[in-house]
Amino acid sequence: MVFEIIGAAVMIAFGLLAIYFSLEEGTSDSKILIILFIGAILVIGGGWIIVSTISLVALLSKIAGIIFAFFGFFLIWGFPDITQYQYENMSKTGIFLGAIFFIIGLYLLLFYP
């Protein structure tokens, strides 16, 4: 299962780079359109391999982990300061809740199957 995911990641990375380089060069040449088409097929194929090998529960837990980690990171670093428009304790509460969400997100992302 690990080799399938590594192979799918290589396919997606190669496909994205092929799409990027073909769009960077321009679409007037027919060879570049073929490379663009092959890159799109590689991205779709790699995504299909990853989605088909990983269970739905694991995939949803990783997505939830990413969302929780980003939300927690926002609350820790991007929450408004006390000098703007809120009470002083609200900033401390936001940082505390952000730390909780960030830890839960990292747990779901790294350790939960």
Side-chain angles (χ1 to χ4, degrees):
M1 181 171 144
V2 174
F3 292 119
E4 292 173 349
I5 294 174
I6 292 172
V10 169
M11 285 175 60
I12 291 172
F14 185 73
L16 288 175
L17 282 176
I19 290 171
Y20 174 73
F21 290 139
S22 65
L23 291 176
E24 189 178 64
E25 293 292 323
T27 58
S28 62
D29 195 10
S30 64
K31 291 180 183 179
I32 293 176
L33 287 174
I34 292 172
I35 293 172
L36 179 68
F37 182 69
I38 290 172
I41 288 176
L42 285 173
V43 169
I44 292 170
W48 179 257
I49 290 172
I50 286 179
V51 169
S52 66
T53 57
I54 297 176
S55 69
L56 183 63
V57 173
L59 186 66
L60 290 177
S61 71
K62 301 304 176 195
I63 291 172
I66 289 171
I67 291 171
F68 277 134
F70 279 135
F71 183 65
F73 185 77
F74 167 73
L75 285 178
I76 291 171
W77 295 104
F79 199 72
D81 196 16
I82 59 173
T83 61
Q84 290 180 356
Y85 59 88
Q86 63 188 4
Y87 297 115
E88 181 179 352
N89 292 336
M90 288 300 292
S91 179
K92 294 174 185 175
T93 305
I95 293 172
F96 178 70
L97 290 175
I100 291 172
F101 281 122
F102 188 72
I103 291 169
I104 290 172
L106 286 181
Y107 173 76
L108 288 174
L109 192 61
L110 299 176
F111 301 115
Y112 194 75

